[in-house]
Amino acid sequence: MAALWMKSEAGATRLGKGKLAMTIHKDWFGVDIKKRAARIRSHPLGHILKEGLSNSLDAGATAVSMVCTPADGKRRDGDGLRAFEFTCTDDGRGCDDPEILRRVGSTTSDLHAETRGRFGQGLIDLIAVSESAEIRTLGHRIVFDKDGCRITAVRNRVNGLALTLTLRHGGEGFGELDDYFDRVILPEGVALTFSGREIGRRVPKRLVAGVKLTTVLYDPTKDCVRRCQRPTTVEIHPQHDGSPMIHELGIPVDAAPWKLPYDINVLQKTPLDTDRNMLPDRYKDKLVSDLVGPMSDAYIEYMDEHGGAPAEIKDDRGNAASLSDDAKRKLVAT
């Protein structure tokens, strides 16, 4: 079946005069799915499944339901990969052109700093690690299986988008899925359930407005991707568990390089790497540097509790200089 995915065959067969229209493609996408899947499977399950949530949030969904369970009756395949059933349903805008869902770069989410998507790759990456998948959205049903891709018009329209797939993965991170999605910072007014359990809304301790950070946008007038500095709001949340994390519009993406017990939620697109799980060190250092001053009281509490200064203050004169006067006095005394 993997060999069938690899080859992209142009054209499609259209059927259905006097019936519901159907389009049949011999391939799934116009990319090398086998190589793409090998890269994606190197990540834990949570990192892969979050693409379904990101897609729903970018579509304006206010209710999202996700379920991931081991597939009953399916053994490991020849590569030792386990089978998992995954569903993601939402009440978002859906998609009225199903061909868009087959093409990398055909979405508009990369035009806006307040969206998470990047050239429509997230949903394709999720389906790429699957042996079969189905999408129902508005007036269409799209099926991906061993025979290719079939797009069918349906009489009973559905609201939003419903994704159902059987994916293959080594299983790394399956036991931590509940914890992973507990870390998600949902926009106000959005309800998320994961495997039947409602994910609680995390309330920020503080908002820091006007933080000027790098974002990445597609410029259609110049047909290029450009990095630009853009002011945004950063939410400071009490740390969930483990180490502090940086979130991009609510989705955890990378470790935060500070000692304070707070997660950082940047409310715009960040300059993530190709795999969307790592930020440049320079970006992270700049982010923390811009937050040191507004978080001076938290640094005072840290120094009181630990009897010393955290590395991001002690080893950086610029950061130390940006502390409030009270925090500077505490730093000198420490």
Side-chain angles (χ1 to χ4, degrees), residues 206-245:
R206 186 167 305 167
L207 300 179
V208 182
V211 181
K212 200 169 184 180
L213 296 169
T214 299
T215 190
V216 183
L217 297 172
Y218 173 66
D219 185 345
T221 61
K222 297 182 179 179
D223 192 24
C224 67
V225 175
R226 60 185 177 86
R227 295 193 175 203
C228 58
Q229 295 283 317
R230 183 178 180 276
T232 190
T233 298
V234 175
E235 294 179 343
I236 306 297
H237 288 259
Q239 180 182 316
H240 171 64
D241 267 325
S243 301
M245 293 290 294

Side-chain angles (χ1 to χ4, degrees), residues 289-311:
S289 178
D290 287 346
L291 295 176
V292 165
M295 295 298 290
S296 287
D297 57 334
Y299 278 109
I300 291 175
E301 292 177 6
Y302 180 95
M303 288 184 281
D304 280 337
E305 182 178 349
H306 295 87

Side-chain angles (χ1 to χ4, degrees), residues 8 13 48 54 115 148 196 201 206 208 215 222 234 257 262 280 293 295:
S8 176
T13 303
I48 299 171
S54 295
T115 53
R201 170 154 166 74
R206 186 167 305 167
V208 182
T215 190
K222 297 182 179 179
V234 175
Y262 295 101
M295 295 298 290

Side-chain angles (χ1 to χ4, degrees), residues 11-29:
T13 303
R14 295 183 178 275
L15 305 173
K17 186 174 182 181
K19 305 176 184 177
L20 292 175
M22 175 186 288
T23 303
I24 301 174
H25 296 273
K26 293 183 179 180
D27 63 342
W28 284 18
F29 308 110

